């Protein structure tokens, strides 16, 4: 190997953020802080308290809440698996890896024999660890392991069927069955990085018996979520949400209206541009199924005019057809029956009352009959908020009522409504429309202290401490600089003022404050300096 090649190999790897994640750097992080501080202050005025939730949760929590067949659960969640306790149980992990990586060919009997031996060892080891209560066990895992155990004899018999008719088909089917079955048999409780937070809030409400508190319970959260989606502008695999939930109490229309009023107040405080509130009612368990049946019947009549995705959704979830963005389907969708015309009396009265409550609060809205939710526990009020600067994917907030979710997760029947804001997209909209407020003295550098001489250094340290205690951002150079270099550095850092301290300033007790924008300067005593800066 050449010397140049050896040096190239020794060069340390240059690490970068993982695809779909990114670093949020100053000064952008100051905007994030302002958005989050605004959320804290606005939500508190509506009586909400912050809840801080775990980053990872049980897989089953989201399988049940979000739906096991949804893309979020089946394709997008980041799954975690702990190493099980005990040497024998850890041996199962290695056995499973061998089984899953085994290249088993139907033309080599010895490969099938080795595969059978490993499967037998895995099943025997699993039974032993299960008896010692070292494994994660649910009705589902017990059932799936029972299937594997009962089919083991068929795998053994496969060794005697080489060369027989249909052997290849039977071989492929049996080997794949055991590989998939062993892959999907958890040894420890399956965990995932949270893809959303509503299910976590409901889990916390149940776990901590919050139904015993005065109702309703008002909670909000901020933090990262994780989904394995295709990264694009404003969409990341680690993304951030700000959300709020009201759990318990009644489903009074005023509660729905106040939640919407709160999030609209939040956006107003941020001066978010082009805000549009769309809302709808999607009925309840009594009237929505009847509407879905009617919608399915009408869609079936025009099935041949729809695209493949919409044709498939006619059977699986007709409401999703209303989300279609295909130009060719829009005239068809516009003629479909609208759910607002098929609400039961109670839901129609509730929807009318929510709209009346919004009007009392001065909240402008637009009815959007195509705004729906696919999961059964969603009901009645649903809403979406869009903003400027985001192109066609312009939603920054979605929310609605989910009165059946807490019960679905094992809790008591509980009313619920909430929303989630995509913070990444919100920040992008603020940046694109230049809606963020000018950076204040608390967010940017206020004063750069240019000191010269040992006596001035001690005074500079005291000045920096006093200015910082007064809430100003101060840069104090660690070493003495020449006057021109100090002012150049202050300008590069974006400082508003340079405080010049030399032997003369210290001796006279008059400090020189230079305004960097226009070059003007003035001499001030220490108390006058603080008064001057506070008045700006």
């Amino acid at each position: 190997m050449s010397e140049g090649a050896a040096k190239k190999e020794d060069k340390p790897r240059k690490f970068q953020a993982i695809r779909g994640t990114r670093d949020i750097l100053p000064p952008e992080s100051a905007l994030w802080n302002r958005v989050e501080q605004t959320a804290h202050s606005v939500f508190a005025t509506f009586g909400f308290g912050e809840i801080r939730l775990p980053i990872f949760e049980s897989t089953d929590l989201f399988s049940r809440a979000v739906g096991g067949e949804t893309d979020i659960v089946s394709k997008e969640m980041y799954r975690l698996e702990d190493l099980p306790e005990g040497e024998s149980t850890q041996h199962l992990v290695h056995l499973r890896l061998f089984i899953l990586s085994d290249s088993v060919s139907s033309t080599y009997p010895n490969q099938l024999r080795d595969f059978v031996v490993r499967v037998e060892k895995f099943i025997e080891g699993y039974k032993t660890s299960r008896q010692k209560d070292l494994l994660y066990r649910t009705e589902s895992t017990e059932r799936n392991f029972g299937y594997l155990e009962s089919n083991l004899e068929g795998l053994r018999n496969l060794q005697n069927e080489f060369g027989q008719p249909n052997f290849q088909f039977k071989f492929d089917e049996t080997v794949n069955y055991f590989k998939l079955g062993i892959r999907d048999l958890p040894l420890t409780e399956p965990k995932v990085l949270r893809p959303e937070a509503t299910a976590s809030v409901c889990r916390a409400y149940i776990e901590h018996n919050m139904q015993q508190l005065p109702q309703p319970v008002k909670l909000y959260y901020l933090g990262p979520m994780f989904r394995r989606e295709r990264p694009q502008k404003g969409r990341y695999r680690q993304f951030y949400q700000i959300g709020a939930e009201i759990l318990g109490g009644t489903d009074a229309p005023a509660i729905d209206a106040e939640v919407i009023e709160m999030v609209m107040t939040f956006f107003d405080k941020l001066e978010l541009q082009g805000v549009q509130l769309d809302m709808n009612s999607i009925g309840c368990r009594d009237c929505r199924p009847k509407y879905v049946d009617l919608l399915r019947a009408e869609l079936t009549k025009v099935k041949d005019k729809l695209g493949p995705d919409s044709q498939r959704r006619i059977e699986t979830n007709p409401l999703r057809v209303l989300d279609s963005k295909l130009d060719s389907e829009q005239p068809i969708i516009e003629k479909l029956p609208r759910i607002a015309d098929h609400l039961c009396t109670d839901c129609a009265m509730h929807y009318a009352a929510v709209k009346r409550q919004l009007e009392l609060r001065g909240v402008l809205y637009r009815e959007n009959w195509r705004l729906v939710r696919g999961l059964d526990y969603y009901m009645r009020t649903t809403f979406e908020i869009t903003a400027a600067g985001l192109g066609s994917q312009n939603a920054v907030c979605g929310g609605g009522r989910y009165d059946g979710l807490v019960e679905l997760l094992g809790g008591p029947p509980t009313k619920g409504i909430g929303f989630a804001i995509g913070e990444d997209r919100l920040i992008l909209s603020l940046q694109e429309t230049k809606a963020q407020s000018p950076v204040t003295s608390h967010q940017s550098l206020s004063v750069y202290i240019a000191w010269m001489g040992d006596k001035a250094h001690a005074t500079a340290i005291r000045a920096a401490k006093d200015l910082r205690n007064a809430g100003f951002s101060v840069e104090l150079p660690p070493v003495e600089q020449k006057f021109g270099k100090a002012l150049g550095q202050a300008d590069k850092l974006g400082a508003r003022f340079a405080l010049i301290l030399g032997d003369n300033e210290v001796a006279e007790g008059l400090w020189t404050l230079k305004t960097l924008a226009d070059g003007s300067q003035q001499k001030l005593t220490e108390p006058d300096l603080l008064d001057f800066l506070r008045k700006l």
Side-chain angles (χ1 to χ4, degrees), residues 206-270:
I206 298 166
E207 181 178 346
H208 300 289
N209 295 314
M210 297 175 83
Q211 66 270 18
Q212 303 298 325
L213 300 174
Q215 302 294 295
V217 175
K218 298 179 176 182
L219 302 168
Y220 75 93
Y221 58 84
L222 308 90
M225 313 294 159
F226 305 86
R227 294 183 194 174
R228 195 179 184 280
E229 297 183 294
R230 184 170 63 86
Q232 53 186 282
K233 187 175 182 180
R235 178 178 292 174
Y236 301 92
R237 291 178 172 179
Q238 177 179 319
F239 58 99
Y240 295 82
Q241 285 188 347
I242 300 172
E245 319 290 346
I246 294 183
L247 295 167
T250 71
D251 60 354
I255 292 177
D256 301 36
E258 187 171 90
V259 166
I260 296 172
E261 179 190 11
M262 182 174 80
V263 72
M264 294 297 281
T265 301
F266 170 62
F267 289 148
D268 184 57
K269 294 286 187 184
L270 292 174

Side-chain angles (χ1 to χ4, degrees), residues 295 298-299 302 321-322 332-338 369:
L295 185 62
E298 293 300 314
L299 287 168
V302 294
V321 177
L322 303 180
I332 299 169
I333 293 173
E334 280 301 315
K335 296 177 181 177
L336 293 172
R338 306 190 172 200
W369 72 275

Side-chain angles (χ1 to χ4, degrees), residues 18-263:
I18 294 170
R19 184 170 183 259
T21 68
R22 86 281 194 211
D23 303 303
I24 300 169
L25 308 175
E28 183 184 353
S29 56
L31 176 58
W32 283 73
N33 285 332
R34 185 172 75 83
V35 166
E36 290 166 7
Q37 279 302 122
T38 303
H40 287 303
S41 60
V42 170
F43 296 173
T45 64
F46 282 80
F48 282 71
E50 184 185 4
I51 182 170
R52 300 197 177 191
L53 301 158
I55 291 290
F56 57 91
E57 296 267 12
S58 168
T59 303
D60 291 343
L61 174 66
F62 298 106
S63 297
R64 196 179 300 181
V66 182
E69 302 305 315
T70 61
D71 283 350
I72 292 175
V73 171
S74 63
K75 299 177 183 178
E76 297 173 1
M77 291 201 304
Y78 283 96
R79 300 174 188 273
L80 309 172
E81 185 173 24
D82 295 331
L83 278 175
E85 297 178 5
E87 186 176 337
S88 61
T89 311
Q90 290 177 14
H91 182 59
L92 290 176
V93 176
H94 301 299
L95 266 177
R96 181 164 64 182
L97 287 173
F98 274 122
I99 291 167
L100 297 182
S101 61
D102 257 350
S103 178
V104 189
S105 171
S106 60
T107 57
Y108 297 104
N110 62 316
Q111 289 185 0
L112 178 59
R113 183 182 65 248
D114 292 344
F115 181 77
V116 171
V117 169
R118 289 191 179 114
V119 170
E120 288 175 332
K121 286 182 177 178
F122 180 88
I123 289 177
E124 191 58 37
Y126 189 94
K127 287 168 64 177
T128 301
S129 294
R130 184 177 61 172
Q131 289 167 358
K132 296 178 181 178
D133 203 25
L134 297 175
L135 299 176
Y136 173 69
R137 296 173 67 177
T138 64
E139 289 183 11
S140 175
T141 60
E142 293 292 289
R143 183 171 59 251
N144 292 340
F145 178 71
Y147 292 152
L148 288 172
E149 194 174 23
S150 63
N151 285 295
L152 182 57
E153 194 60 35
L155 178 64
R156 293 185 180 120
N157 292 337
L158 193 62
Q159 299 175 91
N160 303 320
E161 298 179 21
F162 272 90
Q164 294 186 14
N166 297 322
F167 173 74
Q168 184 65 52
F169 173 79
K170 191 172 182 181
F171 175 90
D172 292 340
E173 187 177 56
T174 305
V175 169
N176 286 335
Y177 169 80
F178 275 91
K179 281 193 172 190
L180 293 175
I182 289 172
R183 183 198 69 181
D184 295 338
L185 194 65
L187 304 179
T188 58
E189 182 176 9
K191 304 174 188 69
V192 293
L193 297 178
R194 63 187 186 195
E196 57 95 46
T198 299
S200 297
V201 174
C202 291
R203 188 266 310 148
Y205 180 87
I206 298 166
E207 181 178 346
H208 300 289
N209 295 314
M210 297 175 83
Q211 66 270 18
Q212 303 298 325
L213 300 174
Q215 302 294 295
V217 175
K218 298 179 176 182
L219 302 168
Y220 75 93
Y221 58 84
L222 308 90
M225 313 294 159
F226 305 86
R227 294 183 194 174
R228 195 179 184 280
E229 297 183 294
R230 184 170 63 86
Q232 53 186 282
K233 187 175 182 180
R235 178 178 292 174
Y236 301 92
R237 291 178 172 179
Q238 177 179 319
F239 58 99
Y240 295 82
Q241 285 188 347
I242 300 172
E245 319 290 346
I246 294 183
L247 295 167
T250 71
D251 60 354
I255 292 177
D256 301 36
E258 187 171 90
V259 166
I260 296 172
E261 179 190 11
M262 182 174 80
V263 72

Side-chain angles (χ1 to χ4, degrees), residues 370-381:
R370 290 175 61 171
L371 186 59
V372 294
R373 297 284 184 264
L375 298 174
D376 289 343
Y377 56 77
Y378 281 107
M379 61 183 298
R380 292 189 172 172
T381 305

Side-chain angles (χ1 to χ4, degrees), residues 489-531:
Q489 183 70 3
D491 190 56
K492 287 179 182 177
L493 293 174
R496 188 173 180 186
F497 299 101
L499 178 61
I500 300 168
L501 293 175
D503 290 341
N504 290 339
E505 282 80 9
V506 173
E508 296 173 4
L510 292 173
W511 299 353
T512 301
L513 186 69
K514 186 180 185 69
T515 304
L516 294 177
D518 59 15
S520 63
Q521 60 185 48
Q522 55 187 309
K523 287 184 175 291
L524 300 164
T525 64
E526 184 176 356
D528 289 344
L529 171 70
L530 287 171
D531 288 342

Side-chain angles (χ1 to χ4, degrees), residues 338-517:
R338 306 190 172 200
I339 192 166
D341 299 328
H342 298 274
L343 298 175
C344 64
T345 302
D346 287 346
C347 286
M349 291 175 62
H350 185 274
Y351 186 37
V354 171
K355 291 186 287 185
R356 188 163 57 251
Q357 285 285 336
L358 288 174
E359 290 159 6
L360 288 172
R361 289 166 166 78
V363 177
L364 301 178
Y365 63 88
R366 177 177 65 186
E367 293 187 71
N368 181 356
W369 72 275
R370 290 175 61 171
L371 186 59
V372 294
R373 297 284 184 264
L375 298 174
D376 289 343
Y377 56 77
Y378 281 107
M379 61 183 298
R380 292 189 172 172
T381 305
T382 184
F383 61 93
E384 182 177 85
I385 301 171
T386 56
L390 298 173
S392 59
Q393 301 292 321
N394 59 351
V396 292
C397 175
R401 181 161 286 284
Y402 49 84
D403 290 353
L405 181 54
V406 172
E407 190 174 2
L408 182 68
L409 296 177
T414 305
K415 306 296 183 183
I417 186 171
F419 63 80
I421 297 166
E423 191 175 1
D424 306 82
R425 300 182 66 75
L426 171 59
I427 296 288
L428 182 60
S429 178
L430 291 171
Q431 291 171 329
E432 291 291 325
T433 58
K434 310 299 182 187
Q436 64 267 34
S437 298
V439 178
T440 69
S441 60
H442 296 275
Q443 295 169 321
S444 65
L445 185 60
S446 303
V447 180
Y448 186 95
I449 301 180
W451 62 272
M452 286 149 280
D454 290 340
K455 292 181 180 178
H457 190 200
T459 302
I461 291 172
R462 180 168 54 81
K465 184 175 183 179
D466 291 343
L467 287 168
R468 286 166 178 160
N469 285 339
F472 297 100
S473 173
V474 178
E475 181 67 20
L476 176 65
V479 296
E480 182 177 348
Q481 296 173 315
K482 290 183 178 180
F483 184 67
K485 184 177 180 181
L487 292 183
Q489 183 70 3
D491 190 56
K492 287 179 182 177
L493 293 174
R496 188 173 180 186
F497 299 101
L499 178 61
I500 300 168
L501 293 175
D503 290 341
N504 290 339
E505 282 80 9
V506 173
E508 296 173 4
L510 292 173
W511 299 353
T512 301
L513 186 69
K514 186 180 185 69
T515 304
L516 294 177

